[in-house]
Amino acid sequence: MSSTQTHSESITERPDMPGFTLERTAKRMKQFFQQTLAGAGTEITIDQWVVLQTLNQQNGLSQLEIARATFKDPPTITRIIDLLCQKGLTERVTDPSDRRRFRIQLTDGGYQKIDEVLPIIHRARRKAWCNLENQQIDQLMDMLNTVFNNLSSEDTK
């Protein structure tokens, strides 16, 4: 890289763009986790798992709050919650502060499903992250969070 060439210019000229590698890896991880859940007979999808896990961390969120927390669009979240309600894993409860809105809560069945699926997810994560040291995973998380924050800032240049 010449002294006049900036880091951002050099990264755009790389034939192995990091964005492609990131997208390819994210898609492969989603496929792998989906196949793992299906193979274990959990009867939930990875997207349903993400919503269950979000509610397990903070039960009683609105559909919009779930959409924001999971980076999914509201219509997709509505469909996922509909399916989770049909399966008896979540329920819509009227929001006491605004009767036009609902809060989504885990049912006893939802908590049982989390207890059933969590060990499967942990095994899949171990496979995905094997051959990486904790320090490498921490570095990767820091780098990905930096990219995320770069793209989230309001003063994109």
Side-chain angles (χ1 to χ4, degrees):
M1 177 165 46
S2 73
S3 59
T4 59
Q5 190 178 32
T6 65
H7 176 69
S8 61
E9 289 171 331
S10 66
I11 195 95
T12 61
E13 296 170 5
R14 290 189 58 168
D16 59 337
M17 291 300 299
F20 172 77
T21 302
L22 180 61
E23 182 177 359
R24 179 190 70 177
T25 303
K27 285 182 178 180
R28 181 61 192 119
M29 286 185 73
K30 188 171 180 176
Q31 291 168 350
F32 172 73
F33 279 85
Q34 183 58 51
Q35 291 166 352
T36 300
L37 290 177
T42 63
E43 299 179 355
I44 62 168
T45 66
I46 192 64
D47 289 329
Q48 291 168 3
W49 169 252
V50 168
V51 170
L52 289 175
Q53 190 174 36
T54 299
L55 289 170
N56 193 41
Q57 293 168 351
Q58 190 173 356
N59 203 17
L61 295 173
S62 70
Q63 289 185 190
L64 184 58
E65 290 168 331
I66 295 169
R68 288 180 181 149
T70 61
F71 295 93
K72 297 188 183 305
D73 60 273
T76 298
I77 288 298
T78 298
R79 287 190 300 276
I80 292 170
I81 291 169
D82 287 346
L83 290 167
L84 291 172
C85 286
Q86 289 172 13
K87 294 177 180 188
L89 304 177
T90 60
E91 61 185 354
R92 287 180 172 93
V93 178
T94 303
D95 186 332
S97 63
D98 183 350
R99 298 191 54 79
R100 297 168 295 175
R101 291 181 14 165
F102 292 99
R103 295 282 169 185
I104 311 304
Q105 294 187 337
L106 290 169
T107 63
D108 288 343
Y111 285 112
Q112 290 171 359
K113 183 61 75 174
I114 288 167
D115 289 343
E116 169 196 337
V117 173
L118 196 55
I120 297 163
I121 293 293
H122 285 165
R123 281 193 302 275
R125 286 178 184 160
R126 280 193 297 275
K127 179 170 174 54
W129 301 115
C130 75
N131 301 320
L132 293 172
E133 301 293 329
N134 284 337
Q135 179 184 0
Q136 291 174 301
I137 295 169
D138 291 343
Q139 288 174 327
L140 176 61
M141 294 292 294
D142 286 344
M143 288 185 281
L144 292 173
N145 282 325
T146 297
V147 171
F148 181 87
N149 291 332
N150 287 346
L151 300 175
S152 297
S153 74
E154 292 184 23
D155 63 329
T156 56
K157 298 175 184 175

